Amino acid sequence: MATLLEISGLTSHYGRIQALKGIDVTVAEGELVALVGANGAGKTTLLRCISGVQSVTSGSISFAGQDITKMPPEHRVGLGISQSPEGRQVFGPMSVEDNLRLGAYRRHGPSIKADLDRMYEMFPILYKKRELPAGTLSGGQQQMLAIARALMANPRVLLLDEPSMGLAPLLVAEIFRTIVALKEAGTTIFLVEQNAYAALAIADRGYVLETGSVVLNDIGSNLLANDKVKEAYLGL
Amino acid sequence: MFAAFLQYLFSGLTSGAIYALAGLGFAIIYNSSQVINFAQGEFIMIGGMSSATLVASGVPMPLAISLAMLISMAAGIALEKFAIEPARNSDVVTIIIITIGASIFMRGAAQLIWDKEFHSLPAFSGESPIAVMGATLMPQSLWVFAVSGVVIVALWWFFNRTMFGKAMLGTSHNRLAAQLVGVGVKKVLLASFALSALLGAVGGIVVTPITFTNYEAGIMLGLKGFSAAVLGGLGNGGGAIVGGLIVGIAEALASGYLSSAYKDAIAFVIILFVLFFMPNGLFGKRGTDRV
């Protein structure tokens, strides 16, 4: 499998506070890679760096062999990096359909309509509510909208930040089923989760992040069996 | 009695339409950057002054008007490129102060390029007043209503029917999300200044045959557009339109029934009233968001 996303020695700061201390992560084409870790470990910061909305202090990010460390965020979307951000971040007053169409902002042509129909097929509730303001949807529906909006960019890699946060267990299961289905359809996914058990259970490989550094890096099932991971993140 | 009221109403609606356009200009820039652009009035002045002097020097009116709109848009783009963008990492308050400086600069430049005299533009379709139930309406007022109406419909279409318009709206609702779907927020900011300048210019051009214009005409028009935007709820387009009409009518009624000396005070009384009693304006967002 060809490496799609390669992050090496990445550091990033919020003011004087160092959030990432030299991260090395790779994601290969077609892989589902999970990044788990406690609150404040730097998971969201790493995704923000990949999308280009957080400035990188040193290190590099390359995508499909191209160095994108300094590329503006909108061009990264054009290359195929799409993110469903933490906290959903839907365009609240705008309709569900406008949210989805904005997801395809960098694209042109009739394939957008086909993808829109595909999203409605995947998330029938969004079709039912397509004319309502996105802000009136429930948390779970907004999460589906955020994922669908990210998919509308027709991404080569989908970055998912805490898709299960704040959702009822039934909905969490549904979101994870969706992620598995996307992976099976061939989408490359980089999944960031606090829900380490669920994330590692479906991931090909996983990284464990602690206060800005990768402390473990293995295939998903090995991490699930790892005593240190069990103790720290799975509550076993 | 009624004829006098109608007369005040006509004059209020005419200036109100211009305040509405200025208010929309404030709203568009505020939405894309949280900045209140105090140079908005200068766009109105540049539109009026350029068209008036071009027509006076023999350029045919339609061409002069188009050029004036382009000149004003160029001023808006230059303001964003050379004054706002270099300071994009500063506080919003810092940027607002930059716009105040820019407005002083533009007034000074206008004094040098033109002069300190009043300039006028011939009315677009004659000066013979139309009698309406005892009151008179100038044909130019009809132009003001029609042009403002067309501009408002065009804006509505732009923001609701074009992808770039929706991207600008999306940026105002959630900047991070807009970046993540690939909207270039720099481009949005530049477009918002160009669009606001164009709105100001259109207002300045259609109203110049009625009110005349000079290098500092933008101060009052800008401040009244600002009160329109605040009254309607900052950042709310529809609110800015309603706010503009209310400010225009209120000041026409006050100068008619009280004293014309109070005309300019009305807008400021309205701002104070809004700030004291309803800081969100008529249609503004409440200070809460669903998370």
Side-chain angles (χ1 to χ4, degrees):
Chain A
M1 280 188 295
T3 301
L4 190 57
L5 183 65
E6 185 165 12
I7 295 158
S8 43
L10 196 76
T11 65
S12 180
H13 291 76
Y14 289 102
R16 292 167 66 181
I17 298 163
Q18 186 166 15
L20 299 178
K21 302 171 181 164
I23 303 280
D24 297 299
V25 166
T26 59
V27 179
E29 204 124 21
E31 241 187 340
L32 199 177
V33 175
L35 177 71
V36 301
N39 237 337
K43 305 188 298 294
T44 295
T45 308
L46 178 57
L47 282 199
R48 287 173 55 89
C49 288
I50 299 173
S51 280
V53 292
Q54 161 81 28
S55 55
V56 167
T57 317
S58 67
S60 72
I61 305 171
S62 76
F63 183 72
Q66 186 181 357
D67 182 15
I68 59 162
T69 316
K70 292 198 158 54
M71 189 181 272
E74 64 269 23
H75 294 167
R76 300 186 195 209
V77 178
L79 279 185
I81 300 177
S82 186
Q83 182 179 160
S84 159
E86 182 181 19
R88 278 95 63 174
Q89 314 290 344
V90 297
F91 300 111
M94 302 176 81
S95 74
V96 167
E97 180 146 335
D98 276 349
N99 270 265
L100 291 173
R101 285 190 177 278
L102 276 175
Y105 183 69
R106 305 294 300 180
R107 299 170 57 199
H108 302 280
S111 58
I112 295 175
K113 179 75 181 89
D115 278 352
L116 191 61
D117 291 340
R118 209 160 54 86
M119 291 309 137
Y120 285 149
E121 209 174 294
M122 196 170 0
F123 305 104
I125 187 73
L126 296 184
Y127 180 72
K128 237 172 86 189
K129 304 209 165 185
R130 65 189 181 283
E131 279 163 20
L132 296 178
T136 63
L137 301 184
S138 73
Q141 293 161 355
Q142 287 191 18
Q143 186 59 59
M144 291 174 198
L145 177 58
I147 294 175
R149 183 181 64 189
L151 285 170
M152 284 298 289
N154 199 11
R156 292 185 67 187
V157 62
L158 176 65
L159 312 175
L160 294 174
D161 196 352
E162 303 276 6
S164 76
M165 190 170 63
L167 300 185
L170 218 60
L171 282 169
V172 173
E174 193 176 340
I175 295 285
F176 275 93
R177 269 200 301 279
T178 308
I179 297 171
V180 170
L182 286 171
K183 182 208 156 32
E184 278 164 5
T187 315
T188 308
I189 300 172
F190 189 41
L191 169 66
V192 161
E193 264 290 346
Q194 270 192 64
N195 188 343
Y197 184 79
L200 292 174
I202 62 169
D204 297 317
R205 289 190 301 117
Y207 291 86
V208 178
L209 201 62
E210 245 171 44
T211 57
S213 308
V214 172
V215 291
L216 284 169
N217 159 24
D218 206 335
I219 61 171
S221 48
N222 284 358
L223 285 178
L224 274 180
N226 184 304
D227 286 338
K228 210 175 144 210
V229 175
K230 275 185 181 170
E231 192 185 337
Y233 302 105
L234 305 178
L236 299 174
Chain B
M1 231 348 242
F2 179 71
F5 173 75
L6 202 59
Q7 192 65 60
Y8 301 145
L9 195 64
F10 285 155
S11 105
L13 285 172
T14 309
S15 35
I18 304 305
Y19 304 157
L21 292 184
L24 280 171
F26 278 103
I28 289 168
I29 290 180
Y30 177 79
N31 275 340
S32 64
S33 62
Q34 268 68 57
V35 166
I36 293 162
N37 169 34
F38 279 106
Q40 184 63 32
E42 275 54 50
F43 296 148
I44 305 180
M45 176 274 289
I46 292 173
M49 291 291 274
S50 323
S51 56
T53 45
L54 283 169
V55 167
S57 65
V59 179
M61 181 113 87
L63 181 63
I65 289 175
S66 317
L67 284 174
M69 294 198 288
L70 287 179
I71 292 169
S72 188
M73 271 172 89
I77 290 171
L79 170 62
E80 199 278 339
K81 270 271 170 234
F82 301 122
I84 308 297
E85 209 182 295
R88 67 182 177 282
N89 294 325
S90 325
D91 259 12
V92 164
V93 177
T94 311
I95 299 180
I96 292 174
I97 292 168
I98 291 176
T99 70
I100 296 176
S103 78
I104 296 170
F105 171 79
M106 287 193 226
R107 281 200 292 280
Q111 250 185 89
L112 287 176
I113 297 170
W114 293 292
D115 48 33
K116 294 188 178 181
E117 305 305 313
F118 275 91
H119 293 262
S120 182
L121 199 58
F124 296 179
S125 51
E127 312 251 3
S128 37
I130 305 160
V132 185
M133 291 188 285
T136 55
L137 184 59
M138 295 304 288
Q140 189 64 26
S141 288
L142 292 176
W143 274 102
V144 171
F145 302 151
V147 168
S148 311
V150 167
V151 165
I152 288 165
V153 171
L155 272 185
W156 182 90
W157 180 85
F158 173 70
F159 281 115
N160 289 284
R161 289 287 178 270
T162 70
M163 270 329 273
F164 189 61
K166 285 180 185 180
M168 284 182 76
L169 266 190
T171 307
S172 74
H173 297 318
N174 193 324
R175 196 184 178 82
L176 172 67
Q179 286 180 301
L180 290 178
V181 299
V183 175
V185 291
K186 262 191 191 170
K187 211 165 151 193
V188 164
L189 193 59
L190 193 62
S192 72
F193 273 85
L195 194 56
S196 298
L198 178 64
L199 284 182
V202 169
I205 293 165
V206 287
V207 83
T208 294
I210 301 174
T211 59
F212 305 150
T213 186
N214 73 345
Y215 76 100
E216 55 179 16
I219 303 179
M220 271 303 162
L221 287 169
L223 286 174
K224 285 171 186 175
F226 176 61
S227 14
V230 170
L231 174 61
L234 254 182
N236 184 309
I241 297 168
V242 175
L245 295 177
I246 292 177
V247 171
I249 293 170
E251 84 181 10
L253 294 181
S255 53
Y257 288 117
L258 300 173
S259 153
S260 56
Y262 294 135
K263 179 172 176 260
D264 286 334
I266 293 299
F268 304 109
V269 171
I270 289 176
I271 290 198
L272 291 178
F273 179 83
V274 170
L275 292 181
F276 278 133
F277 298 108
M278 42 180 198
N280 294 312
L282 291 171
F283 310 100
K285 261 185 263 176
R286 299 288 169 262
T288 53
D289 269 317
R290 179 174 174 170
V291 282

